[in-house]
């Protein structure tokens, strides 16, 4: 079966750095996505990786290792507004998005 | 960036009635639209995939006669929850993908519709 694992919840301090990991086992691979979702709102696109390596976009970076079935989202200089759920999703061989359960990130002052 | 709208954002209906939710891509043509359902503290569950002008493909366990999906144009898809029951109360989110087949990598999400069935 297809499976995506990410931690259920993480806590970090304002101004610090946090890394959210995601491991996946899917039928084929056509890219990995990270989305941010605030409570009661729809997800918003953060990043897309299809090749191995690090993609940096401002305070957020995303890393992919296809051989290990592993990705992480790195958030720097954390702000209170970063408190949200972070969803990892993989596009499989049928170009369907397979979703992780999401990681709830709690930022403390 | 691409914008997807949903209407209504919130709806309360009585058990047994039907509710229609609209999803529109405002500044691009969406060849494929997706309907998701999300339960509290749960991830997104894909309900169905619709391509413009053809019948929707429903995921296993989703009743196609209960959740009617119409993708009549490249900018509009509708989800109708028929004979709604309290257990249908949920957050319904649509997303749209532009491009042909899987060549476009981004899916753009609508803001979601909170359905409450009393």
């Amino acid at each position: 079966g297809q499976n995506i694992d990410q931690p259920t919840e993480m806590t970090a301090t304002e101004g610090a750095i946090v890394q959210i990991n995601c491991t996946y086992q899917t039928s084929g691979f056509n890219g990995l996505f990270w989305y941010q979702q605030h409570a009661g709102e729809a997800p918003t696109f953060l990043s897309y990786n299809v090749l191995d390596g690090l993609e940096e976009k401002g305070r957020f970076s995303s890393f992919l290792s296809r051989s290990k079935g592993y990705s992480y989202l790195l958030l720097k200089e954390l702000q209170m507004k970063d408190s949200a759920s972070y969803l990892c999703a993989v596009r499989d061989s049928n170009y369907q998005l397979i979703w992780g359960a999401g990681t709830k990130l709690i930022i403390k002052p | 960036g691409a914008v997807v709208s949903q209407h209504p954002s919130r709806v309360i209906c009585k058990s047994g009635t039907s509710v229609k939710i609209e999803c529109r891509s405002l500044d691009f043509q969406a060849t494929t639209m997706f309907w998701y359902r999300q339960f509290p503290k749960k991830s997104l569950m894909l309900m169905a995939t619709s391509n413009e002008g053809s019948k929707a493909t429903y995921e296993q366990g989703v009743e196609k006669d209960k959740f009617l999906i119409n993708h009549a144009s490249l900018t509009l898809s509708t989800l109708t929850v028929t004979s709604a029951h309290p257990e249908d109360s949920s957050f319904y989110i649509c997303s749209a993908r532009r491009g042909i087949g899987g060549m476009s990598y981004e899916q753009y999400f609508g803001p979601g519709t909170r359905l409450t069935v009393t």
Side-chain angles (χ1 to χ4, degrees), chain A residues 95-107:
Chain A
Y95 286 89
Q96 295 278 39
L97 280 180
I98 311 300
W99 293 86
T103 299
K104 182 179 181 180
L105 178 62
I106 300 169
I107 310 296

Side-chain angles (χ1 to χ4, degrees), chain A residues 51-63:
Chain A
L51 299 176
D52 291 349
L54 187 69
E55 294 280 344
E56 297 187 74
K57 196 185 281 188
R59 294 190 298 115
F60 294 2
S61 303
S62 57
F63 171 83

Side-chain angles (χ1 to χ4, degrees), chain A residues 15-18 56 58-61 74-79 82:
Chain A
I17 300 173
V18 70
E56 297 187 74
R59 294 190 298 115
F60 294 2
S61 303
L74 190 71
L75 293 79
K76 303 176 184 177
E77 300 170 16
L78 286 170
Q79 302 174 9
D82 297 329

Side-chain angles (χ1 to χ4, degrees), chain A residues 12-27:
Chain A
T13 305
E14 190 177 14
I17 300 173
V18 70
Q19 176 175 313
I20 303 174
N21 296 324
C22 170
T23 58
Y24 62 89
Q25 293 175 310
T26 56
S27 303

Side-chain angles (χ1 to χ4, degrees), chain A:
Chain A
Q2 309 206 86
N3 193 52
I4 296 185
D5 289 315
Q6 48 181 133
T8 304
E9 187 173 297
M10 298 182 71
T11 302
T13 305
E14 190 177 14
I17 300 173
V18 70
Q19 176 175 313
I20 303 174
N21 296 324
C22 170
T23 58
Y24 62 89
Q25 293 175 310
T26 56
S27 303
F29 178 84
N30 282 294
L32 184 143
F33 301 78
W34 283 96
Y35 285 86
Q36 180 190 61
Q37 186 177 26
H38 286 99
E41 299 179 10
T44 55
F45 172 79
L46 287 179
S47 68
Y48 168 71
N49 294 70
V50 68
L51 299 176
D52 291 349
L54 187 69
E55 294 280 344
E56 297 187 74
K57 196 185 281 188
R59 294 190 298 115
F60 294 2
S61 303
S62 57
F63 171 83
L64 174 67
S65 169
R66 287 171 296 170
S67 62
K68 295 181 179 179
Y70 167 70
S71 171
Y72 67 73
L73 179 69
L74 190 71
L75 293 79
K76 303 176 184 177
E77 300 170 16
L78 286 170
Q79 302 174 9
M80 298 302 293
K81 66 178 182 180
D82 297 329
S83 293
S85 286
Y86 291 85
L87 303 170
C88 172
V90 173
R91 193 161 64 183
D92 68 8
S93 56
N94 294 318
Y95 286 89
Q96 295 278 39
L97 280 180
I98 311 300
W99 293 86
T103 299
K104 182 179 181 180
L105 178 62
I106 300 169
I107 310 296
K108 294 185 175 180

Side-chain angles (χ1 to χ4, degrees), chain B residues 22 34 36 40 42 45 50 62 71 73 77 82 109 116:
Chain B
E22 292 187 349
F34 306 85
Y36 293 88
K42 298 285 187 182
M45 181 194 81
S50 72
V62 178
H71 192 164
S73 75
S77 177
T82 62
F109 284 87
T116 303

